[in-house]
C-alpha cells in the first residue's frame, strides 16, 4: 500500500469548498451554539453600521435645518448608542469565534495524532517527519486562524456589502447605480486578474515549501555536513532556494497588493461620482444635503467590506489548502487492521509458536527482499539471524512482529494467522528491540513503562524493586546519578546510541514477552554491559523464545539454531561453521 502524502508543502487547494466543508462539519457539530451567537452578533453589528448613515442624514436634515439643538443632542445620543451596541456585538463575536477556532484546533490536532499513531511503520518510512509535524502544528493553526478571524469577517463583509448595496439602490436608484458603477468595473477586472494572482501565490508558496524542506534537511544532517566539510555546498544550495523564494514572493506581493489600492480607487471613484450627481440633484431640488452625506457614508460602507472580502478570500484559500493536507492524513487507513478469526488462514503446522509459510516481501513495489520463505520458531529456543548487510534480517524480524504484512504468504503466531491478533495482543507477546531504537521525550522511567498495561501507574521505587528482582537495576548506573529519572529529550537526543538500546532492552524485557527480538541490540554497548545483558537474557523464563540479529559472532554462539538471511531466502545453517561458510560464499558471489 502506498502511504506517500501528496498535497504540496503549502500549495493551492486541490479540493472544492464543498469537500473542505464536509471535512470540517463533524468538528463543528459541538460549536453550533457559539456559531449561532456569533452570527447573531455579526447581524447586530452590521445592522448598527448600516443604520449610522440614515441616522446621520436625518440629523443633518432635521436638526440642523430647523436649528433644534435638543433634537440634535438626542439623535446624536441615539447614534452613539447604536454604534456602541455594534461594537459590543463585534467584540462578543470575536470572543465566540476565538473559542470555536481553539476548539476546532484542539480536536483536529487530537484526531491527527490519533490517526498518526494508528498508522503502520511503512507510513513513517515514506513520509518526512518535518512534513508531518507541520501538518499537525501549522496547518491546523491556519484552520484555527480562519475560524477565529476570517470566517465572521467574511459573513460581516457580505452582509454589509449586500445591505449597503440594497440601501444605495432603494434610497435613490439613480445615485445607487452611479455609486455601484466602479464596483462592476472592479469585479470584471478581478476576474481577469485572478488567474495571474493565483499563479503567483502558488509559486510563492511552493518555493517556500522547497525552502523549508532544504532547511530541515540541512539541520537534520548537520553533523554529516560539518564532518564532510560540505557547509559551503549547503549554503549555496540554500542561497539559491532563498533567492528563488524571494523573487516569487516579490511577484506574489505585487499581484496580491494590487487589489487593495484598486478597490480603494473604486471607492473613491464611487464617492466622486455620487458627489457630482448629488450636487447636481441638490441644485435641481431633487435631493437633500443630509441624504447626500448619508449616501457618501454608504459608498464607503459598500467599498470597505468589498476590499476586506479580497483579503478574507485569500485566507479562505489558505485554509482550504491546509484542510487538504490535514484531511489527506485523516483519510488514510492502516492496512495492518485486525481481521476476524474466521478470515484468518489456517496453518499447516498449528503447533508451532511462530511460522512463516511461503512468505514473500518487497518494500513499496521494489525488488523482493524475501521470496517463498518457510520458517518456524519453537517455544523457549534461541535463534540467530546472520547475513550480509541489506540481506533482509531486519525485514524478517519486522514481519515476525507484524510491523509490516508480507506481500505473499502468511505469518502464524501460536498457530493463528498473525493478522487475527489485536495490536495489544501482539505487543504483549512480542518484544522488539529495534536496530535504531525510538525513545519518547520524558524520562528513562517513562520510556520503560511506555505502553505497559500493568506498569503505567507504578511508583519509581516499586519499579526499581521490580527491576532488582530481574537483575536489571545494575544497568541504571549507565545513565549517571539520576538513574530512572534521567530526562530524555525528543526522539532520544541526549543519550548515546548504546544508552538508547539499553532503554529499549529494559522496556522489552520488563514486558516478559513470549518472543524477544533483538536487532543488533548489543552493537553499541560496551563489553561489560553486554555481558550483563547476556546474564539477563539467560535469566528470562525458560519459555521465552529469543531471536537475535548480530554481526558479531560471539553474541550468537549460544543460539540453538542459526538462520542465514540473504538472496531472498532464510536458510537454516545448522552450525556456526556452516553459517560462516554461507556468509563467505555470499561475499564471493556478490
Ligand atoms: N523502508 C524501506 N524501503 C525500501 N527498501 C528498504 C527499506 N528498508 C530496507 N530496505 C531494503 O530492503 C533490503 C533489506 O533490508 P534490511 O534492513 O532487512 O537488511 P538487514 O539484513 O537488516 O541489513 P543490516 O545488517 O545492514 O541491518 C535492503 O536492500 C534495503 O535496501
Ligand atoms: Mg538490519
Amino acid at each position: 500500500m502506498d502511504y506517500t502524502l501528496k498535497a504540496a508543502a503549502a500549495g493551492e487547494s486541490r479540493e472544492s469548498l464543498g469537500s473542505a466543508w464536509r471535512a470540517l462539519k463533524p468538528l463543528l457539530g459541538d460549536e453550533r451554539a457559539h456559531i449561532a451567537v456569533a452570527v447573531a452578533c455579526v447581524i447586530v453589528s452590521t445592522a448598527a453600521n448600516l443604520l449610522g448613515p440614515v441616522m446621520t442624514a436625518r440629523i443633518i436634515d432635521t436638526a440642523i435645518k430647523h436649528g433644534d439643538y435638543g433634537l440634535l443632542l438626542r439623535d446624536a445620543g441615539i447614534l452613539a448608542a447604536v454604534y456602541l451596541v455594534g461594537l459590543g456585538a463585534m467584540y462578543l463575536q470575536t470572543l465566540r469565534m476565538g473559542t470555536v477556532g481553539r476548539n476546532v484546533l484542539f480536536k483536529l490536532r487530537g484526531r491527527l495524532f490519533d490517526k498518526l499513531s494508528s498508522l503502520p511503520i511503512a507510513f513513517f518510512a515514506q513520509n518526512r517527519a518535518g512534513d508531518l509535524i507541520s501538518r499537525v502544528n501549522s496547518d491546523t493553526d491556519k484552520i484555527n486562524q480562519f475560524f477565529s478571524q476570517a470566517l465572521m469577517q467574511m459573513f460581516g463583509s457580505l452582509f454589509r456589502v449586500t445591505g449597503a448595496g440594497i440601501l444605495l439602490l432603494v434610497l435613490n436608484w439613480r445615485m445607487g447605480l452611479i455609486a455601484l458603477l466602479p464596483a462592476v468595473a472592479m469585479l470584471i477586472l478581478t476576474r481577469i486578474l485572478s488567474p495571474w494572482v493565483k499563479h503567483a501565490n502558488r509559486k510563492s508558496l511552493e518555493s517556500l515549501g522547497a525552502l523549508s524542506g532544504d532547511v530541515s534537511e540541512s539541520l537534520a544532517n548537520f553533523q554529516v555536513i560539518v564532518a564532510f566539510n560540505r557547509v559551503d555546498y549547503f549554503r549555496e544550495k540554500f542561497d539559491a532556494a532563498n533567492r528563488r523564494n524571494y523573487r516569487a514572493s516579490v511577484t506574489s506581493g505585487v499581484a496580491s497588493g494590487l487589489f487593495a489600492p484598486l478597490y480603494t480607487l473604486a471607492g473613491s471613484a464611487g464617492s466622486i461620482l455620487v458627489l457630482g450627481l448629488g450636487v447636481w440633484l441638490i441644485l435641481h431640488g431633487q435631493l437633500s444635503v443630509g441624504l447626500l452625506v448619508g449616501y457618501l457614508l454608504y459608498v464607503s460602507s459598500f467599498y470597505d467590506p468589498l476590499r476586506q472580502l479580497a483579503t478574507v478570500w485569500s485566507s479562505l484559500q489558505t485554509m482550504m489548502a491546509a484542510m487538504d493536507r490535514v484531511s489527506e492524513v485523516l483519510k488514510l487507513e492502516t492496512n495492518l487492521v485486525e481481521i476476524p478469526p474466521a478470515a484468518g488462514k489456517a496453518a499447516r503446522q498449528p503447533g508451532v509458536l511462530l511460522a512463516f509459510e511461503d512468505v514473500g516481501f518487497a518494500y513499496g513495489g521494489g525488488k523482493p527482499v524475501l521470496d517463498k520463505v518457510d520458517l518456524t520458531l519453537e517455544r523457549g529456543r534461541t535463534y540467530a539471524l546472520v547475513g550480509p548487510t541489506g540481506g533482509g534480517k531486519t525485514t524478517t524480524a519486522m514481519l515476525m512482529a507484524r510491523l509490516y504484512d508480507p506481500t505473499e504468504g502468511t505469518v502464524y503466531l501460536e498457530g493463528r494467522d498473525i493478522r487475527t491478533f489485536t495490536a495489544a495482543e501482539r505487543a504483549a507477546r512480542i518484544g522488539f528491540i529495534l536496530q535504531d531504537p525510538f525513545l519518547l521525550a520524558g524520562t528513562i522511567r517513562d520510556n520503560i513503562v511506555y505502553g505497559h498495561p500493568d506498569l503505567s501507574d507504578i511508583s519509581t521505587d516499586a519499579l526499581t524493586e521490580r527491576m532488582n528482582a530481574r537483575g536489571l537495576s545494575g544497568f541504571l548506573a549507565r545513565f549517571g546519578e539520576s538513574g530512572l529519572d534521567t530526562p530524555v529529550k525528543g526522539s532520544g537526543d541526549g543519550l548515546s546510541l548504546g544508552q538508547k538500546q539499553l532503554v529499549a532492552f529494559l522496556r522489552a524485557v520488563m514486558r516478559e514477552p513470549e518472543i524477544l527480538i533483538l536487532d543488533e541490540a548489543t552493537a553499541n554497548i560496551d563489553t561489560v554491559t553486554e555481558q550483563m545483558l547476556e546474564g539477563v537474557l539467560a535469566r528470562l523464563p525458560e519459555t521465552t523464545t529469543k531471536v537475535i540479529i548480530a554481526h558479531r559472532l560471539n553474541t550468537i554462539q549460544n543460539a540453538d539454531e542459526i538462520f542465514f538471511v540473504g538472496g531472498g531466502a532464510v536458510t537454516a545453517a545448522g552450525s556456526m561453521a556452516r553459517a560462516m561458510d554461507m556468509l563467505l560464499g555470499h561475499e564471493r558471489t556478490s
Side-chain angles (χ1 to χ4, degrees):
M1 175 158 174
D2 188 15
Y3 285 105
T4 317
L5 297 173
K6 293 184 184 70
E12 198 183 320
S13 168
R14 290 173 302 142
E15 303 205 10
S16 66
L17 204 55
S19 72
W21 168 241
R22 271 193 298 282
L24 282 169
K25 216 167 107 187
L27 293 167
L28 290 175
D30 305 336
E31 312 300 330
R32 262 186 233 127
H34 288 306
I35 295 178
V37 172
V39 169
C41 288
V42 167
I43 293 174
V44 168
S45 86
T46 312
N49 263 306
L50 289 176
L51 218 54
V54 214
M55 292 187 65
T56 313
R58 206 181 96 104
I59 292 172
I60 293 174
D61 283 346
T62 54
I64 295 184
K65 219 193 256 165
H66 306 302
D68 185 342
Y69 283 103
L71 196 63
L72 174 69
L73 277 179
R74 203 198 67 195
D75 283 359
I78 295 177
L79 184 61
V82 165
Y83 278 134
L84 274 178
V85 167
L87 276 179
M90 191 72 183
Y91 178 62
L92 191 60
Q93 177 273 113
T94 315
L95 287 185
R96 287 302 172 110
M97 286 315 284
T99 311
V100 170
R102 270 189 302 277
N103 290 352
V104 168
L105 178 70
F106 178 78
K107 276 188 271 184
L108 210 52
R109 282 192 179 149
R111 286 192 185 194
L112 266 177
F113 196 80
D114 283 350
K115 178 54 82 174
L116 284 177
S117 47
S118 80
L119 290 172
I121 282 209
F123 170 81
F124 297 94
Q126 281 168 27
N127 292 289
R128 301 221 310 227
D131 180 59
L132 296 178
I133 293 169
S134 96
R135 284 174 204 247
V136 176
N137 282 342
S138 92
D139 289 329
T140 50
D141 198 47
K142 283 179 196 143
I143 297 166
N144 166 30
Q145 276 170 20
F146 174 76
F147 276 105
S148 51
Q149 290 160 22
L151 182 62
M152 286 301 142
Q153 221 176 41
M154 197 161 91
F155 278 151
S157 300
L158 278 174
F159 282 147
R160 274 179 72 192
V161 167
T162 322
I166 290 174
L167 282 171
L168 279 172
L169 287 172
V170 167
L171 288 178
N172 183 315
W173 67 269
R174 272 181 298 182
M175 294 275 280
L177 283 182
I178 280 279
L180 295 182
L181 211 58
V184 176
M186 266 317 291
L187 284 184
I188 296 171
L189 195 65
T190 308
R191 276 208 85 101
I192 297 172
L193 287 180
S194 253
W196 174 60
V197 174
K198 255 189 172 165
H199 178 76
N201 277 338
R202 193 182 58 215
K203 276 268 164 303
S204 158
L205 288 171
E206 272 172 9
S207 67
L208 185 66
L211 186 70
S212 53
D214 270 9
V215 172
S216 64
E217 187 187 319
S218 314
L219 288 182
N221 301 306
F222 212 70
Q223 286 171 341
V224 183
I225 295 173
V226 173
F228 286 90
N229 197 19
R230 296 309 302 270
V231 177
D232 284 350
Y233 166 76
F234 271 93
R235 183 167 295 151
E236 273 166 32
K237 210 171 136 208
F238 178 82
D239 274 349
N242 200 8
R243 214 163 295 136
R244 260 197 309 281
N245 178 45
Y246 175 79
R247 274 192 232 111
S249 67
V250 168
T251 320
S252 93
V254 169
S256 328
L258 211 57
F259 284 109
L262 278 179
Y263 275 96
T264 312
L265 184 70
S268 310
S271 300
I272 291 170
L273 289 174
V274 162
L275 198 61
L277 181 66
V279 169
W280 190 84
L281 285 175
I282 290 175
L283 290 180
H284 287 76
Q286 293 176 13
L287 195 74
S288 67
V289 176
L291 212 51
L292 176 62
V293 174
Y295 246 90
L296 288 173
L297 290 175
Y298 276 129
V299 169
S300 60
S301 293
F302 180 81
Y303 282 95
D304 285 349
L306 207 60
R307 201 177 52 220
Q308 253 178 24
L309 272 178
T311 329
V312 173
W313 187 250
S314 78
S315 167
L316 177 71
Q317 293 290 331
T318 315
M319 185 283 276
M320 277 167 60
M323 197 60 221
D324 233 21
R325 283 163 53 75
V326 168
S327 45
E328 194 183 17
V329 175
L330 289 178
K331 269 189 234 149
L332 288 176
E333 285 299 334
T334 172
N335 61 349
L336 296 185
V337 285
E338 172 202 347
I339 60 173
K345 294 204 185 129
R348 289 197 292 258
Q349 298 166 276
V352 290
L353 178 62
L354 191 131
F356 279 26
E357 289 184 8
D358 295 328
V359 165
F361 184 79
Y363 285 102
K367 72 176 179 40
V369 179
L370 298 181
D371 185 30
K372 288 223 172 301
V373 167
D374 286 315
L375 161 89
T376 53
L377 303 184
E378 278 162 35
R379 213 175 282 279
R381 286 165 67 89
T382 301
Y383 298 88
L385 302 184
V386 301
T389 286
K393 301 181 292 295
T394 300
T395 309
T396 308
M398 293 208 278
L399 290 172
M400 287 175 180
R402 204 190 177 201
L403 297 185
Y404 285 94
D405 268 341
T407 20
E408 275 167 62
T410 315
V411 178
Y412 297 95
L413 179 63
E414 295 173 352
R416 262 168 66 190
D417 191 326
I418 196 167
R419 292 173 298 170
T420 61
F421 288 87
T422 65
E425 286 168 343
R426 281 199 317 270
R429 286 169 173 77
I430 304 174
F432 196 167
I433 302 167
L434 293 164
Q435 199 164 9
D436 186 7
F438 176 77
L439 299 194
L440 304 145
T443 61
I444 302 243
R445 178 204 124 84
D446 297 340
N447 273 283
I448 292 176
V449 302
Y450 173 69
H452 195 303
D454 305 335
L455 292 182
S456 51
D457 297 325
I458 198 173
S459 73
T460 305
D461 286 341
L463 181 66
T464 316
E465 221 165 87
R466 285 216 192 184
M467 291 179 65
N468 267 330
R470 287 176 175 73
L472 293 171
S473 47
F475 295 113
L476 294 177
R478 295 288 179 276
F479 300 105
E481 280 170 18
S482 315
L484 283 172
D485 294 324
T486 308
V488 177
K489 283 184 254 165
S491 71
D493 288 351
L495 293 184
S496 75
L497 191 52
Q499 285 173 326
K500 282 196 240 177
Q501 286 184 330
L502 264 184
V503 175
F505 180 84
L506 296 173
R507 182 197 291 163
V509 168
M510 288 302 286
R511 287 169 162 268
E512 297 203 324
E514 286 167 40
I515 303 177
L516 183 65
I517 305 172
L518 300 102
D519 191 354
E520 308 275 5
T522 58
N524 300 287
I525 290 171
D526 65 73
T527 324
V528 178
T529 316
E530 189 184 336
Q531 275 166 6
M532 284 164 68
L533 284 183
E534 271 166 25
V536 173
L537 286 183
R539 259 179 288 150
L540 284 177
E542 287 221 327
T543 50
T544 310
T545 306
K546 285 164 256 176
V547 178
I548 300 172
I549 303 175
H551 285 300
R552 282 192 289 179
L553 296 178
N554 63 328
T555 35
I556 55 176
Q557 58 203 357
N558 298 327
D560 299 306
E561 176 78 86
I562 300 175
F563 286 113
F564 176 82
V565 186
V570 179
T571 326
S575 69
M576 191 79 190
R578 176 100 181 85
M580 275 306 290
D581 280 350
M582 291 173 96
L583 258 175
L584 291 173
H586 179 90
E587 283 294 299
R588 272 196 298 277
T589 52
S590 62

